[in-house]
Amino acid sequence: MDISSTPPAPKVIHRADYQPPEWLVPEVTLAFNLGIEQTRVVATLKVRRNSSSQVLRLNGDGIAAEKVLVDGQPSNAWRMDGADLLVDLPGDAHEIAVATAINPKANTQLMGLYASNGMLCTQCEAEGFRRITFFPDRPDVLSVYTVHIEGPKALFPVLLSNGNCTGTSEGADGMHSATWRDPWPKPSYLFALVAGDLVANHDTFTTMSGRKVDLNIWVREGDQDRTHHAMQALKDSMKWDEEVFGREYDLNLFNIVAVSDFNMGAMENKGLNVFNTRYILADPDTATDADYDGIAGVVAHEYFHNWSGNRVTCRDWFQLSLKEGFTVLRDQLFSQDMGSQSVKRIEDVRVLRGSQFPEDSGPLAHPIRPDSYQEISNFYTATVYNKGAEVIRMMRTMVGPERFRTGCDLYFNRHDGEAATCEDFVKAIEAGAGIDLAQFRLWYSQAGTPRVTARIAHEDNVATLTLTQEVPATPGQPSKQPMVIPLRLALFDRASGKHSGEQLVVLDRAEMQFAFPGFAQAPVLSINRGFSAPVALDAGQSASDLVFLAARDDDPFARYEALQQLVVQHLVAEVAGGMLCEGDREAGRDAIRGALAAVIADPALDDLMRGELLILPGEAYLSEQFEKADPAAIRAAREGLKAWLGTALTDQLVALHERASAVPYSLSALARGSRKLKTQALVLLAAAVPELAARLAASQFDAADNMTDRQGALGVLCGLDTPLRAEKLGAFHTRHAGEALVIDKWFGLQAGSFHPKAFEQVKALAGHAEFALTNPNRVRALFMSAAMNAGVFHRADGAGYGMIADLILALDPLNAQTAARFVAPLGRWRRIEPGRAALMRAELERIVAQPGLSKDTFEQASKSLG
Ligand code: PHE
Ligand code: ZN
């Protein structure tokens, strides 16, 4: 048999196969001798039998054991089983020592120990620890870690690990060392080590019980001044978690390190969070308002993991949403409390609809608690994170914040120090909050976005609301049971424009009716207020009811939603050819223009909210409305509407731009609102009056004393065919030369633009001297922006698909985790019109045919072909 052409059958891990660990490791000591090209590790494990097994399995990945000691004696009683090391152990407790050597510089996967910008750092979640040393690398094995780090002081003046530093020493030949001990037992995925030439922004926080905690944010020399926003967010998070969840920090030291090569946003290692620089570094000149919000949100998220993730961790990786869904909810609530409640909710729903709804309706759909996986890295998804957060938010909505808090307290108290399951969480909320969640548990097991319809009938002073639900089939789940769907609603009296109080109805059958007496005429329905349930809703509202709600709904989310729905209905009809007569089109556009004009003029709105309301529904969400979408038709209809609105509202938009431009820079909500409006006005004008928009954008660019204005203006210019485009792109690049995070924006803006030559521009940028496949931020800036840009990705000739497939194949050997994330856009083929679908499918086939493909990319591509 020719083995090179027969890929090994992928190994599938099933949730139902969970077995407790055969051996426990109560204590581990790691000794590191650091070098960029060779680091030596000796791991000493105190192991204790937890079953009848006499064989200890230690996971490994790409490492070799140089020496094995059992109870202090060199041993031969071990063998390799694939990548794992097996040791025969006769007794109940032993001490195993294993020596390994690794080359951090050669580690382009950025999992395990790797080099970034001259420093060394680790990333262990989910299964990176086994690339450092042999270990039972699973989250239900909890150990107390002692870590000795030794290395040349000139290269690595700072040596960090989890917990507290218990000693340092200076050695001969310029070597030095440090010892760290973390008193809190933790799984291996929370281990971290950082060594490098770093400087700290230092601060302190005094906890609710009066303990002083040292806080450090470690960055490269020169970046200290850009860490203040992150530091403030950290202190705010620590305080907020004490006040809102009663959770206090549990060490006297909290370190954060920023690294420029990182696969994800950040990582919650105990006492030593490691961050992608983009979620730490900010100043007004280099970071946008959205970047500031991203930083605060991620700093909070990682800090909150100290309780939801670290003190209570996951039993196995199927339980990932236990820590991620809950922690996302916690960071969302934090951000709501720190800024604008309603704007934050709208932003979170936009992310859910733009990223998670497509997952739920595609070939990679999975429940928030998956049943199986080939590669766990593929399950760090919007479903596990964001839908996971929505599911817990629904529990909170049904019981209210106080009872929810009682349930959370019970969860933390019951499971502190344990590796828990989603079921443990649900049980704690049931007992603590006093609610039966038996049927609600379906949210953990059923994938797919429920489709809910709502219709109002009116007779004899009674309004009757009929609700139906249907959960679509998803891969492996052909038929579904009805879910528990909490819907906040209000019924507006048409005459007074008011409602007599919000109610919560819980839809838990396929069809239900609710009667509301006391209405002389049919009321206007406002439903799923605050987006109380993550469902796709068809409320059958007329355009005039939507205009009514867009103007006066007292729930800000519902108001936004009415406006969005008005636009969605119009564009869907336009694209589907439902607007056969010009009269319908005119009426639809007029309704939207009227609603937007009212938003622009409404003195009761703040500018942050006003800016939010002016954003039209995104192309991804619009595509979701079609069984088979035509991306070019959606782009054309949406841009066409923008052009019409920009023309109809030119004067108001120019006035808005002028008014907003007069507000000086600050981080206040008012000033941020102005900046948001300013660029939104340009976005609409650009589609309508490009010369005028280009002129305004260029002057906004020139006048900008902050990145929000500069990037907003440049983004608009990037989409226009004007000499100002190249001029300002050049000026931007020169001004920010060498600032990696800003150069990322420069790549991203061009790749995401509406410019007719955007595809050619992306191709050229891929050959730019500053493009590098080895840096995930740069790869995402260029190619994720391109893959999300229908004008590039969905070119009718398929060249966009070919470009992304080429990227996947080139990146896969270097960084499989990041490569695999580019498969999903191609995997959408079933929901795209047949011509393009065939081209997308052909690229997926080309990918799976590649010999030696990583399991990450293989799993995503083969499942996408289905
Ligand atoms: N656990 C991290 C978080 O959500 C994300 C992460 C996963 C980072 C895997 C790196 C690797 O905060
Ligand atoms: Zn997380």
Side-chain angles (χ1 to χ4, degrees):
M1 190 172 73
D2 176 3
I3 48 160
S4 66
S5 66
T6 318
K11 190 165 166 245
V12 180
I13 320 284
H14 294 274
R15 183 166 61 88
D17 292 346
Y18 174 82
Q19 293 292 330
E22 294 183 330
W23 290 81
L24 300 177
V25 188
E27 260 182 72
V28 44
T29 303
L30 301 172
F32 284 85
N33 196 300
L34 301 178
I36 295 276
E37 286 175 52
Q38 194 189 57
T39 288
R40 309 188 64 83
V41 187
V42 177
T44 307
L45 281 51
K46 287 210 163 76
V47 300
R48 206 175 65 220
R49 187 194 308 285
N50 194 41
S51 68
S52 61
S53 169
Q54 298 209 325
V55 183
L56 169 69
R57 175 177 293 270
L58 301 174
N59 303 116
D61 177 4
I63 51 173
E66 297 190 333
K67 193 159 50 162
V68 177
L69 305 182
V70 175
D71 299 324
Q73 301 302 312
S75 166
N76 289 321
W78 61 275
R79 60 196 180 277
M80 297 301 290
D81 175 27
D84 294 349
L85 189 151
L86 307 183
V87 192
D88 297 316
L89 294 178
D92 289 340
H94 293 276
E95 187 182 276
I96 314 297
V98 183
T100 54
I102 38 195
N103 178 352
K105 193 177 173 188
N107 183 354
T108 58
Q109 303 286 346
L110 313 184
M111 281 294 274
L113 179 70
Y114 64 93
S116 171
N117 243 325
M119 66 192 265
L120 290 176
C121 67
T122 56
Q123 173 52 45
C124 294
E125 188 180 7
E127 296 179 337
F129 192 72
R130 62 184 69 184
R131 293 165 58 85
I132 298 172
T133 191
F134 291 97
F135 201 78
D137 193 12
R138 43 187 287 168
D140 57 352
V141 173
L142 276 61
S143 321
V144 171
Y145 283 67
T146 303
V147 181
H148 301 287
I149 315 172
E150 186 189 21
K153 188 169 184 174
L155 287 180
F156 310 119
V158 175
L159 305 170
L160 304 173
S161 189
N162 316 86
N164 304 304
C165 184
T166 56
T168 60
S169 75
E170 304 288 320
D173 313 325
M175 300 292 278
H176 73 152
S177 70
T179 302
W180 290 80
R181 185 177 159 83
D182 179 2
W184 298 101
K186 64 170 175 288
S188 51
Y189 82 86
L190 291 173
F191 165 77
L193 176 151
V194 173
D197 193 357
L198 299 164
V199 291
N201 173 8
H202 176 257
D203 208 327
T204 61
F205 177 80
T206 304
T207 69
M208 61 204 271
S209 70
R211 253 180 331 96
K212 196 178 117 202
V213 182
D214 281 302
L215 313 175
N216 295 303
I217 300 183
W218 297 92
V219 294
R220 289 162 61 87
E221 179 65 50
D223 283 339
Q224 300 97 304
D225 290 345
R226 297 202 284 160
T227 59
H228 299 293
H229 180 64
M231 183 63 89
Q232 189 58 49
L234 175 59
K235 292 188 287 181
D236 290 345
S237 313
M238 296 178 87
K239 184 113 198 94
W240 186 91
D241 212 14
E242 292 182 348
E243 286 172 354
V244 178
F245 279 90
R247 300 292 122 198
E248 185 179 16
Y249 187 59
D250 55 6
L251 287 166
N252 297 328
L253 177 62
F254 190 80
N255 282 312
I256 287 179
V257 182
V259 304
S260 37
D261 302 281
F262 201 75
N263 283 339
M264 309 277 276
M267 179 63 210
E268 70 263 24
N269 317 298
K270 183 80 188 191
L272 178 53
N273 288 0
V274 175
F275 273 65
N276 188 324
T277 44
R278 67 171 296 202
Y279 289 112
I280 289 294
L281 301 180
D283 63 21
D285 197 49
T286 56
T288 62
D289 295 335
D291 294 332
Y292 272 76
D293 287 346
I295 288 168
V298 177
V299 166
H301 179 98
E302 304 312 330
Y303 173 71
F304 295 156
H305 268 315
N306 191 58
W307 274 96
S308 50
N310 301 0
R311 286 288 286 264
V312 184
T313 192
C314 298
R315 186 191 73 173
D316 56 71
W317 292 119
F318 296 103
Q319 318 300 326
L320 185 57
S321 201
L322 174 70
K323 74 176 177 83
E324 296 303 347
F326 189 24
T327 304
V328 170
L329 174 67
R330 279 151 53 70
D331 83 54
Q332 290 179 347
L333 295 175
F334 165 79
S335 296
Q336 283 188 2
D337 283 354
M338 295 292 128
S340 159
Q341 293 268 348
S342 42
V343 170
K344 173 62 178 162
R345 186 65 187 135
I346 291 169
E347 287 169 352
D348 289 338
V349 173
R350 188 180 296 130
V351 171
L352 191 83
R353 285 173 167 166
S355 306
Q356 199 281 322
F357 279 23
E359 280 177 14
D360 248 350
S361 69
L364 303 172
H366 51 277
I368 66 168
R369 182 189 56 206
D371 292 315
S372 69
Y373 61 77
Q374 293 171 33
E375 170 52 62
I376 186 57
S377 296
N378 288 330
F379 286 78
Y380 288 77
T381 58
T383 298
V384 167
Y385 276 64
N386 303 64
K387 187 177 181 178
E390 294 296 329
V391 168
I392 301 177
R393 188 187 284 263
M394 283 189 284
M395 299 181 195
R396 183 172 177 270
T397 299
M398 289 189 294
V399 298
E402 288 81 21
R403 282 163 61 195
F404 180 70
R405 165 71 194 270
T406 310
C408 291
D409 286 350
L410 182 62
Y411 167 70
F412 286 125
N413 291 342
R414 266 189 190 168
H415 300 290
D416 188 9
E418 291 178 8
T421 60
C422 295
E423 179 59 23
D424 291 330
F425 182 81
V426 175
K427 282 206 176 96
I429 299 296
E430 280 185 316
I435 184 177
D436 177 353
L437 296 171
Q439 185 189 350
F440 185 87
R441 280 172 173 75
L442 288 168
W443 282 104
Y444 282 89
S445 58
Q446 289 192 162
T449 305
R451 286 200 274 259
V452 174
T453 66
R455 292 291 182 273
I456 290 265
H458 180 255
E459 204 178 344
D460 298 335
N461 284 334
V462 178
T464 304
L465 172 67
T466 303
L467 297 173
T468 70
Q469 63 161 305
E470 190 213 323
V471 187
T474 49
Q477 297 188 336
S479 65
K480 309 281 170 94
Q481 291 164 253
M483 311 273 252
V484 176
I485 299 175
L487 296 164
R488 287 170 43 199
L489 65 83
L491 298 168
F492 282 83
D493 181 82
R494 275 173 209 281
S496 69
K498 298 212 162 66
H499 66 83
S500 56
E502 185 179 283
Q503 323 200 14
L504 181 73
V505 300
V506 178
L507 170 64
D508 58 8
R509 280 176 273 141
E511 178 168 341
M512 289 172 88
Q513 290 197 330
F514 301 86
F516 302 94
F519 287 95
Q521 48 173 330
V524 179
L525 174 65
S526 166
I527 188 167
N528 207 19
R529 291 155 68 86
F531 202 69
S532 57
V535 299
L537 184 70
D538 164 10
Q541 291 135 314
S542 64
S544 65
D545 281 5
L546 291 171
V547 169
F548 175 100
L549 294 170
R552 79 190 72 203
D553 201 318
D554 55 328
D555 178 75
F557 177 81
R559 188 170 175 182
Y560 158 86
E561 184 64 3
L563 202 47
Q564 292 281 298
Q565 196 50 39
L566 191 64
V567 178
V568 168
Q569 285 178 9
H570 175 80
L571 290 177
V572 166
E574 178 102 84
V575 170
M579 256 151 8
L580 299 175
C581 75
E582 194 54 33
D584 286 355
R585 175 176 295 131
E586 281 306 315
R589 284 171 169 175
D590 271 335
I592 296 168
R593 189 208 41 182
L596 287 187
V599 161
I600 292 174
D602 187 345
L605 279 172
D606 63 76
D607 281 348
L608 216 47
M609 186 66 185
R610 197 188 318 279
E612 207 59 51
L613 292 170
L614 291 181
I615 301 176
L616 299 187
E619 291 175 0
Y621 181 57
L622 288 166
S623 301
E624 279 293 297
Q625 316 300 315
F626 297 89
E627 203 44 59
K628 295 199 186 290
D630 178 345
I634 289 173
R635 163 78 50 106
R638 187 172 181 275
E639 290 306 294
L641 177 63
K642 274 165 65 183
W644 187 88
L645 288 169
T647 306
L649 297 168
T650 304
D651 293 347
Q652 288 100 311
L653 292 168
V654 170
L656 203 59
H657 188 264
E658 199 177 301
R659 164 168 81 73
S661 298
V663 179
Y665 182 85
S666 82
L667 283 173
S668 71
L670 189 128
R672 294 167 56 121
S674 309
R675 291 192 286 279
K676 187 167 190 170
L677 267 186
K678 212 186 296 186
T679 293
Q680 266 315 112
L682 288 184
V683 164
L684 290 174
L685 288 170
V689 278
E691 287 85 33
L692 173 63
R695 237 183 315 116
L696 291 175
S699 63
Q700 176 174 319
F701 182 91
D702 292 338
D705 61 356
N706 65 83
M707 182 53 76
T708 306
D709 286 347
R710 195 176 297 128
Q711 172 179 300
L714 189 59
V716 166
L717 284 171
C718 273
L720 296 176
D721 226 347
T722 157
L724 291 167
R725 178 181 183 279
E727 184 190 317
K728 302 307 177 197
L729 273 169
F732 186 92
H733 190 272
T734 306
R735 180 189 176 107
H736 297 289
E739 302 203 44
L741 296 173
V742 186
I743 300 302
D744 288 340
K745 297 179 188 298
W746 184 81
F747 276 91
L749 288 174
Q750 297 177 73
S753 90
F754 290 131
H755 196 279
K757 289 262 173 303
F759 174 79
E760 288 76 9
Q761 289 155 6
V762 173
K763 284 249 146 166
L765 287 169
H768 193 280
E770 288 170 292
F771 182 76
L773 275 181
T774 47
N775 180 263
N777 284 359
R778 192 57 51 88
V779 169
R780 283 186 287 256
L782 181 60
F783 284 110
M784 206 41 102
S785 309
M788 296 298 123
N789 184 352
V792 173
F793 185 63
H794 287 297
R795 272 170 66 105
D797 66 359
Y801 310 139
M803 181 173 75
I804 294 301
D806 287 346
L807 167 75
I808 291 168
L809 293 174
L811 187 57
D812 189 61
L814 294 173
N815 187 333
Q817 230 181 77
T818 302
R821 295 208 162 241
F822 285 88
V823 174
L826 290 168
R828 302 285 308 147
W829 63 273
R830 276 188 194 76
R831 300 290 305 276
I832 303 289
E833 56 83 17
R836 287 180 172 85
L839 297 166
M840 295 168 81
R841 219 191 123 85
E843 295 300 341
L844 287 169
E845 272 158 1
R846 181 159 73 91
I847 292 167
V848 293
Q850 174 83 5
L853 208 59
S854 68
K855 9 179 216 170
D856 309 56
T857 299
F858 179 80
E859 177 175 34
Q860 300 303 77
S862 58
K863 285 182 174 173
S864 295
L865 281 166

